[in-house]
Amino acid sequence: MQILCLATRDCQAPTSLRYFMNHISDKLATAIEKKFIAYQELNDIYTCNSLKILNPKIWRYKGTIYKLRVDCGKESARILFMRDKNKDIVILHAFLKKTQKTPKKEADIAMRNFAAACDNAPLEPLWPL
């Protein structure tokens, strides 16, 4: 199982996952990486309290988008990802959590990336950064 993200030409674009990982604290970035490396080592996604599914009825999309919560001190991130047909993890979007609900803007980005990934958009390995 690989950990992938959408390939981007500009890693400094604010919507880039690499940009996000490079602009959060090292502690939070390490915690996020550890979670996904654990999935990779187990070759599966295990159920835990910090993993939920973005509700397709509310957000009106078809498929499964997982929402992982990673807390590290005062910082709290949400990582939205999917499994592709090869059972690889494709990270769609990540953001710092500031409100109780998932903001529409953040969900829209994830759903747009979900559609692109389903349409065979180019992917690249996320780790090592």
Side-chain angles (χ1 to χ4, degrees):
M1 173 192 308
Q2 293 186 64
I3 310 297
L4 307 167
C5 63
L6 292 174
T8 58
R9 291 186 189 127
D10 182 9
C11 290
Q12 295 307 311
T15 57
S16 162
L17 189 57
R18 292 183 191 281
Y19 179 90
F20 174 80
M21 293 297 289
N22 289 328
H23 286 81
I24 57 176
S25 71
D26 289 341
K27 202 172 180 182
L28 182 59
T30 300
I32 291 168
E33 185 176 351
K34 281 182 181 179
K35 290 259 188 184
F36 283 99
I37 297 299
Y39 288 152
Q40 191 174 34
E41 288 173 354
L42 287 172
N43 202 31
D44 200 6
I45 298 172
Y46 54 87
T47 305
C48 59
N49 290 338
S50 60
L51 181 67
K52 298 188 183 221
I53 294 176
L54 196 63
N55 190 328
K57 290 180 182 174
I58 292 173
W59 295 104
R60 297 188 182 116
Y61 74 95
K62 291 185 180 184
T64 302
I65 297 177
Y66 296 93
K67 180 172 64 173
L68 178 67
R69 182 184 78 223
V70 181
D71 298 320
C72 192
K74 292 183 179 183
E75 284 184 301
S76 184
R78 298 298 181 271
I79 298 86
L80 302 170
F81 67 95
M82 64 180 274
R83 301 286 301 268
D84 70 5
K85 60 186 174 205
N86 299 321
K87 302 291 184 197
D88 292 328
I89 292 175
V90 179
I91 300 179
L92 303 169
H93 186 55
F95 60 96
L96 289 176
K97 186 73 171 176
K98 296 176 185 163
T99 62
Q100 190 171 1
K101 291 186 176 184
T102 301
K104 180 176 178 3
K105 174 185 147 195
E106 308 297 352
D108 287 343
I109 292 169
M111 290 183 295
R112 188 171 55 243
N113 291 342
F114 178 81
C118 290
D119 288 338
N120 297 318
L123 303 172
E124 61 188 15
L126 183 58
W127 282 287
L129 285 175

